[in-house]
Amino acid sequence: MIQDAPGEPTIRNDDERDVRDVPDATESALAAGGSDTAGEPSAGPDPAGAGDAGADRPEARLEKAVRVAEQALIEFEIALETFRIEVENFSRLHHQRLGPMYARLDELDAMIAEARAARSGDPEDLRKAREARALVQPMPGVEELFHDWMDSDGLSPEAAAMLTEQSVRPPKRVRPSDEARKLYRDLVRRAHPDLARDDTERARREEFLTRVNAAYGLGDEPVLRELAEEWAAGPASKAPPLSESEELYARLEWLSQRKELLTLVAKELEESAIGAMLRMAPDDPDRLLEEIAEQLLAEVSGRETELARLVQ
């Protein structure tokens, strides 16, 4: 899923397609319209002497190159957005499900340190006990480890989400279902703002994809299906007229700059703590959460046994 070479992240979408070649698509598109003079594309040799063939026009070749670069960039954005949603979902579920367990471990560590200090009276043990206690937040009840996944402040996921301006409804899983991912990819490919040719159409597409991303983040298949029907019933996209060579070159330059920006975003996600955790289980991140929870519960049990031995 991730790192392919230093400084150049590899985000892989659910079709297992590597999109690191997006810059090459843009650069090759730029090269396709190579110029003899600044701003003027070269038509190249015309062995047949037929200069009026539409397919051989420099603008036509440039337009085809723009279409290729656009689709390559869209595939990269789909891969990046699906990974970003997994990172966000993993982070929220990690906090909601495992936060109380980490808090309980901190409390048990403090109690163990205090029990040792009480038995030994050693100044060093007393210092360690004070430091351990200073790190502890209110101890969650055991029931909180298994019911509703309350956080360490006693807030429900819904309340915490409202306070942090996140969606009130938490995701069900780190990775949405296969059907949700299929619907999402199809909608992004059809409605992506980069396919618009005027500001009004771009605004419509951006607003629509905002709702698509929100539904996908929650893994909401019914809403994604409704959005697919809405888009199918909407106004059909009008084919843009043939652009002038200067506009096409500017378009290719914008696509290249956009890819560079997304590459930086991808690198930041991959190098984050949650991104690193996702690399441990790229095929089943939800199972990774379960494994971590099992390990933490085992640690809680071990700490409780140790504390019971010290206070006897």
Side-chain angles (χ1 to χ4, degrees):
M1 173 184 294
I2 317 294
Q3 216 74 359
D4 202 68
E8 181 64 29
T10 299
I11 298 293
R12 191 179 63 193
N13 68 11
D14 298 307
D15 295 325
E16 302 296 314
R17 297 169 64 183
D18 190 341
V19 294
R20 287 181 66 237
D21 59 345
V22 175
D24 295 335
T26 311
E27 291 161 9
S28 62
L30 286 165
S35 58
D36 293 324
T37 59
E40 290 296 329
S42 171
D46 185 8
D52 59 346
D56 292 335
R57 295 182 65 247
E59 290 83 358
R61 294 199 303 272
L62 271 174
E63 186 170 14
K64 182 178 179 180
V66 167
R67 300 293 86 77
V68 171
E70 285 176 340
Q71 290 303 314
L73 182 62
I74 288 172
E75 293 299 325
F76 185 85
E77 291 199 40
I78 289 173
L80 176 59
E81 183 63 15
T82 53
F83 183 61
R84 185 197 66 76
I85 285 174
E86 287 186 13
V87 168
E88 182 179 297
N89 287 352
F90 193 97
S91 178
R92 291 183 63 188
L93 290 172
H94 182 273
H95 174 72
Q96 290 169 5
R97 296 183 182 180
L98 307 183
M101 298 185 191
Y102 286 119
R104 188 168 181 81
L105 282 172
D106 288 342
E107 172 67 23
L108 288 168
D109 284 340
M111 295 174 70
I112 289 170
E114 289 166 347
R116 286 176 178 163
R119 297 183 76 176
S120 70
D122 185 272
E124 182 63 16
D125 288 342
L126 291 169
R127 183 188 64 80
K128 291 179 179 179
R130 287 193 298 271
E131 290 180 353
R133 176 54 61 188
L135 297 174
V136 173
Q137 301 207 358
M139 182 176 181
V142 175
E143 65 277 2
E144 292 182 14
L145 301 179
F146 304 98
H147 297 96
D148 297 329
W149 305 110
M150 303 286 283
D151 67 17
S152 58
D153 295 322
L155 295 175
S156 68
E158 291 77 12
M162 291 177 69
L163 290 174
T164 56
E165 298 183 354
Q166 297 184 19
S167 172
V168 172
R169 186 171 137 206
K172 295 178 181 178
R173 305 173 64 233
V174 172
R175 178 169 294 162
S177 67
D178 290 342
E179 179 63 20
R181 284 184 282 168
K182 181 176 181 295
L183 288 165
Y184 172 74
R185 293 195 301 269
D186 181 61
L187 282 168
V188 174
R189 287 167 183 151
R190 290 161 57 194
H192 199 281
D194 288 351
L195 297 178
R197 281 298 179 273
D198 59 68
D199 292 341
T200 300
E201 176 65 10
R202 171 173 284 275
R204 183 177 81 90
R205 289 171 177 264
E206 288 176 347
E207 185 277 333
F208 181 79
L209 279 192
T210 297
R211 290 185 286 145
V212 170
N213 288 335
Y216 179 69
L218 294 172
D220 198 328
E221 291 180 29
V223 171
L224 287 170
R225 291 193 188 93
E226 291 175 4
L227 289 167
E229 294 174 1
E230 176 185 329
W231 185 258
S237 300
K238 296 181 180 180
L242 183 66
S243 302
E244 294 295 329
S245 60
E246 292 82 4
E247 295 180 32
L248 290 168
Y249 275 117
R251 178 67 173 164
L252 287 171
E253 183 178 358
W254 181 88
L255 290 168
S256 178
Q257 293 172 351
R258 174 72 173 164
K259 173 58 174 61
E260 291 178 6
L261 174 63
L262 293 177
T263 298
L264 294 176
V265 174
K267 187 172 184 292
E268 182 177 348
L269 282 172
E270 292 166 358
E271 294 179 350
S272 68
I274 295 298
M277 293 183 73
L278 281 173
R279 288 201 296 272
M280 297 169 58
D283 297 327
D284 193 357
D286 292 283
R287 178 55 192 161
L288 176 60
L289 280 176
E290 295 172 7
E291 291 175 354
I292 295 174
E294 292 168 1
Q295 294 172 5
L296 290 176
L297 285 173
E299 291 184 30
V300 167
S301 178
R303 299 287 207 289
E304 289 175 339
T305 300
E306 182 179 359
L307 179 61
R309 178 180 57 80
L310 287 169
V311 298
Q312 281 180 350

